[in-house]
Amino acid sequence: MQVRVMAALLAMSGTISAAEPSAQISPSVLSDVTAWRRDLHQHPELSNREVRTSKIVADELKKLGYTVRTGVAHTGVTGVLKGGKPGPKLAIRADMDALPVTEQVDVPFASKVKSEYLGKTVGVMHACGHDAHTAMLLGLAETFAKMKNDLPGEIMLVFQPAEEGVPPGETGGAPGMVRDGIFKDFKPDAVFGMHVVAAYNVGKVGVRAGGAMASSDTFRMTVHGKQAHGATPWMGIDPIVTAAEIVTMAQTIVSRQLNLNKEPAVVTFGTFNGGSRFNIVPDAADLSGTIRTFDEGMRKQIITSLTGIAEHVAAANGATVEVQMPKSDEDRNPVNYNDPALTARVRVSLEKALGNEHVIDAERWTASEDFPHLAIGAKAPSVYFFVGATPAGQDAATAPTNHSPKFFLDEGALAVGMTAMLQASLDFLSGGK
């Protein structure tokens, strides 16, 4: 099936032909990629725990002749390949971690893995498609290695752990890889990345200049009250009621305080934990959530407003609250910003590879990524594009989204993603800085 998909892709491009073998993904590579993807999907690993995955990656890169570094930001891997011709340097990133999600997709290679997350036993699933990202980058590694003598410039392949967020008390992810010096000796002229998404059907690729994905800040709150018997709540100070009022009042930040004509913004509470028994008013309740913005001024306004609401609501109820916001830029994700000039070049490559009608203008997405830390750390422009994963004929607007236990990736996306990234990479390396 995958070979037929690749043949269809090559046929719909007017520029990929036997005269340009370097711009093609071979059927044998596509077969390897499909096998890797299924294996990784069946054996997912949580953030900072990608031990098996990183060993597979490192072993394959070494076999292909890459200069390999392991143990970066715990389990990260980099591979560097120097081409036989002069040219610029390019870094391409794939993430490797899975999510604490119990899979509900009926495929032969479905995950049955269980693990511990935040003290609970959870299912583990590649519900965001990182198995596909890792497999595709390995396929590109194989393709680049086969054309090494004719390859301009140098390529660094970055296999990153913990994109979904490091466990509490740990470090890692893209900031960790930068901190561990992946760009100390390799200074790329550009950084590329891609992500499979349920929002598009297979065959479609979306790209957007400027802010493509939102920044994200994780906040945490602990409301302190006074414990009492549930039958006599007036004897205590109820942190659950107080916390509920904070959640409710916080909804007015976006709806009533921000100028949404400027940019979109999101404030979401994701956890609410308090109490241990039905008839006891607890002494504390814990909340956590996320802030998504495209504008730094709006971001600061949300943080100020959310902190003020929490403190004043707590005081009005006789309680106190501790509010924790990110302490540094490494503790948050910046806006995923696609350099406009580089994006224009990449879009030409995508259209060359797939056909103009298959490349669409991506809408801004309030999801976030730690990918921007790589571009910032490298001091280089970056481009990040999206690859459709929903089967043709299915309504992508209603398909289970990334992070859903029902998220399904049509493996035709593997050929599309690799073809797009290969063309963009070769055009960049051949075109100079």
Side-chain angles (χ1 to χ4, degrees), residues 149-164:
N149 292 339
D150 296 321
L151 188 70
E154 295 182 53
I155 295 175
M156 172 184 280
L157 305 182
V158 180
F159 293 85
Q160 182 203 307
E163 185 281 322
E164 298 292 354

Side-chain angles (χ1 to χ4, degrees), residues 65-350:
Y66 283 72
T67 301
V68 178
R69 181 181 172 190
T70 61
V72 187
H74 303 292
T75 53
V77 180
T78 62
V80 175
L81 184 71
K82 186 172 184 178
K85 297 180 178 181
K89 294 182 178 181
L90 174 66
I92 311 173
R93 177 272 216 162
D95 35 16
M96 302 187 293
D97 53 332
L99 287 160
V101 172
T102 301
E103 182 155 11
Q104 296 178 23
V105 181
D106 185 16
V107 291
F109 48 90
S111 170
K112 307 297 183 186
V113 173
K114 301 287 184 183
S115 188
E116 294 294 317
Y117 181 73
L118 299 181
K120 299 179 181 178
T121 300
V122 296
V124 184
M125 176 190 175
H126 270 296
C128 202
H130 296 184
D131 52 338
H133 301 167
T134 300
M136 285 191 287
L137 195 55
L138 281 176
L140 288 169
E142 190 174 349
T143 303
F144 289 134
K146 290 178 179 179
M147 61 176 74
K148 178 180 178 181
N149 292 339
D150 296 321
L151 188 70
E154 295 182 53
I155 295 175
M156 172 184 280
L157 305 182
V158 180
F159 293 85
Q160 182 203 307
E163 185 281 322
E164 298 292 354
V166 298
E170 298 184 20
T171 60
M177 296 196 83
V178 172
R179 194 184 316 111
D180 281 1
I182 63 170
F183 298 133
K184 180 180 179 181
D185 298 317
F186 186 97
K187 300 187 184 303
D189 298 295
V191 185
F192 287 172
M194 62 179 167
H195 204 299
V196 294
V197 292
Y200 303 151
N201 291 104
V202 168
K204 298 292 185 183
V205 170
V207 66
R208 178 188 183 89
M213 299 177 75
S215 70
S216 67
D217 293 84
T218 300
F219 63 85
R220 294 178 174 82
M221 300 180 186
T222 299
V223 179
H224 297 282
K226 180 181 177 183
Q227 188 167 311
H229 196 292
T232 56
W234 57 86
M235 301 286 291
I237 298 173
D238 195 332
I240 292 180
V241 171
T242 303
E245 290 184 15
I246 292 172
V247 172
T248 300
M249 284 295 296
Q251 306 312 304
T252 64
I253 296 174
V254 172
S255 67
R256 292 295 179 269
Q257 298 183 31
L258 299 179
N259 179 4
L260 297 181
N261 287 319
K262 188 175 185 180
E263 300 281 359
V266 174
V267 177
T268 294
F269 285 82
T271 68
F272 190 133
N273 298 299
S276 58
R277 185 174 168 82
F278 72 94
N279 63 348
I280 298 175
V281 174
D283 60 1
D286 296 311
L287 306 171
S288 68
T290 185
I291 299 167
R292 305 297 172 102
T293 55
F294 289 89
D295 178 82
E296 181 62 20
M298 294 172 73
R299 171 183 172 264
K300 290 179 178 179
Q301 183 180 351
I302 290 173
I303 291 173
T304 299
S305 294
L306 184 57
T307 302
I309 285 172
E311 291 174 347
H312 285 87
V313 169
N317 283 277
T320 59
V321 63
E322 298 175 56
V323 180
Q324 298 178 21
M325 295 288 178
K327 295 179 180 178
S328 71
D329 286 342
E330 285 192 5
D331 298 328
R332 56 181 296 268
N333 291 334
V335 171
N336 198 344
Y337 183 82
N338 285 339
D339 178 81
L342 184 58
T343 302
R345 290 177 60 183
V346 168
R347 187 181 183 109
V348 171
S349 298
L350 300 181

Side-chain angles (χ1 to χ4, degrees), residues 1-10 12 16 23-27 29-31 33-34 37 132 135-136 139-140 143 194 196 202-205 353-354 385 387-389 409-423:
M1 179 187 74
Q2 296 303 317
V3 174
R4 290 198 301 272
V5 170
M6 193 63 224
L9 277 172
L10 296 178
M12 70 186 183
I16 300 178
Q24 295 184 22
I25 304 294
S26 74
V29 169
L30 189 56
S31 178
V33 170
T34 302
R37 185 262 161 169
M136 285 191 287
L140 288 169
T143 303
M194 62 179 167
V196 294
V202 168
K204 298 292 185 183
V205 170
L354 305 175
F385 58 86
V387 178
L409 178 129
D410 185 316
E411 290 180 335
L414 302 175
V416 176
M418 283 191 294
T419 301
M421 184 61 81
L422 178 63
Q423 190 72 59

Side-chain angles (χ1 to χ4, degrees), residues 353-376:
L354 305 175
N356 294 11
E357 70 276 18
H358 296 279
V359 181
I360 61 178
D361 295 322
E363 295 182 358
R364 285 181 298 189
W365 194 15
T366 48
S368 72
E369 258 275 359
D370 70 355
F371 173 81
H373 286 285
L374 297 177
I376 293 170

